[in-house]
Amino acid sequence: MPELPEVETVRRTLAPWVVGEEFRSVTVLFEGCLEGICGKDLEARLEGRRVDALFRLGKYLGFSLDDGSRLVVHLRMTGRLIATESRDPQINAYTRLVFHFASGKALRFDDLRKFGRVMWFQDQTSLRARIRVGVDPLGPGFTPERLAAWVAGRRRPIKSFLLEQTHVAGLGNIYADEALHRAKIGPWRQAGSLSAGEIEALHRAVVSVLEEGVAHKGTTLRDYVDGDGRAGEFQTRLRTYGREGQPCLECGQAIERIVLSGRSSFYCPRCQR
DNA sequence: AATGGCCTGGTG
DNA sequence: CACCAGGCCATT
């Protein structure tokens, strides 16, 4: 499931390939993947525009275009953006949309579950009005002090807090569990109950697990691939996620699973308190 | 803050 | 055939 490391990997693989390209047309196979704009209008907005840069906002991937507008894609759970070519974009049963470029390149958006979304914004301001995400945990805005201020007084489980995108943007179910294990904090703990030391440890764990995720080009459990269609490698390094009943790699205790905020949470009952 | 809906393939 | 996976938004 694309979380920060996966979206960042897609951004890095697609950027050198797509920056400088000029949109020619858009083929919409599933109108439902568009949010706030219809296929006809999207094509009109994109035609002739060049891609200046690719950026990431939490789990959103954005294209900065040469007129100041922004094309934004959210892969949700099973979405894929694949670099291909207009002559043979290799459309399949899950292809929802294809962007065609003047050079003959094409960018295919596939999504088995139809949860992914494609949006267009006139400018950065309208984008930020719609995409409300907090600071990037790999950027300078994420500090132990700010983390402490955000969790202060919060009674919900720290795992649920980490899944909110409004303060720290980019963690999903997998990396949140992995970060909590590294920080030795139980996912059920009330966010506001963390000590200064635990907040420091959690901050460090979030940064390190995301950096490692990026270094290993993301986690592929099932659907995720990068812009070149390649799977990630971080799944081999997961310490808790999906490992219920298997021994903790730190202490050997069996990993357990509980449900928080309606989502599975995997943790080590000995290491995490 | 908690819940339901959006989706479909895979599993028990 | 029922149920689960899950990011995000709307609703309660």
Side-chain angles (χ1 to χ4, degrees), chain A residues 115 166-167 175-177 219 229 235 273:
Chain A
F115 276 14
T166 46
H167 298 295
Y175 293 95
D177 278 1
T219 301
Q235 61 279 5
R273 299 280 172 190

Side-chain angles (χ1 to χ4, degrees), chain A residues 77-200:
Chain A
M77 295 149 67
T78 56
R80 295 174 165 183
L81 278 174
I82 308 289
T84 172
E85 53 186 74
S86 283
R87 210 185 313 165
D88 179 22
Q90 298 184 279
I91 289 170
N92 56 72
Y94 308 124
T95 302
R96 308 306 177 194
L97 186 150
V98 185
F99 298 104
H100 297 275
F101 297 101
S103 68
K105 289 179 176 177
L107 180 61
R108 207 176 71 230
F109 174 56
D110 295 349
D111 185 21
L112 181 153
R113 300 275 295 279
K114 297 183 174 178
F115 276 14
R117 289 294 178 264
V118 173
M119 294 158 270
W120 179 88
F121 300 97
Q122 184 90 250
D123 51 38
Q124 182 71 4
T125 305
S126 53
L127 181 161
R128 292 306 305 238
R130 177 70 184 79
I131 312 282
R132 302 169 62 91
V133 294
V135 305
D136 194 292
L138 296 187
F142 184 52
T143 62
E145 292 74 25
R146 295 187 79 172
L147 181 57
W150 289 325
V151 300
R154 301 284 312 264
R155 305 186 61 157
R156 69 182 324 193
I158 186 63
K159 167 75 180 287
S160 305
F161 168 84
L162 291 177
L163 292 180
E164 293 175 6
Q165 302 299 304
T166 46
H167 298 295
V168 185
L171 286 166
N173 212 29
I174 297 173
Y175 293 95
D177 278 1
E178 295 297 313
L180 287 167
H181 181 263
R182 289 169 185 235
K184 302 190 183 300
I185 297 168
W188 60 84
R189 288 277 305 281
Q190 286 190 0
S193 77
L194 270 54
S195 68
E198 287 175 326
I199 288 170
E200 181 84 35

Side-chain angles (χ1 to χ4, degrees), chain A residues 28-42:
Chain A
V28 180
L29 295 97
F30 174 59
E31 193 84 16
C33 75
L34 298 177
E35 184 178 310
I37 192 167
C38 67
K40 193 167 173 289
D41 289 350
L42 179 67

Side-chain angles (χ1 to χ4, degrees), chain A residues 200-239:
Chain A
E200 181 84 35
L202 181 57
H203 173 269
R204 194 164 46 240
V206 165
V207 172
S208 67
V209 77
L210 291 175
E211 285 181 344
E212 273 183 55
V214 172
H216 290 88
K217 304 179 189 301
T219 301
T220 297
L221 293 178
R222 180 172 192 83
D223 300 287
Y224 168 73
V225 292
D226 68 17
D228 296 323
R230 296 196 182 91
E233 295 160 6
F234 195 67
Q235 61 279 5
T236 63
R237 313 181 86 86
L238 297 177
R239 299 181 190 177

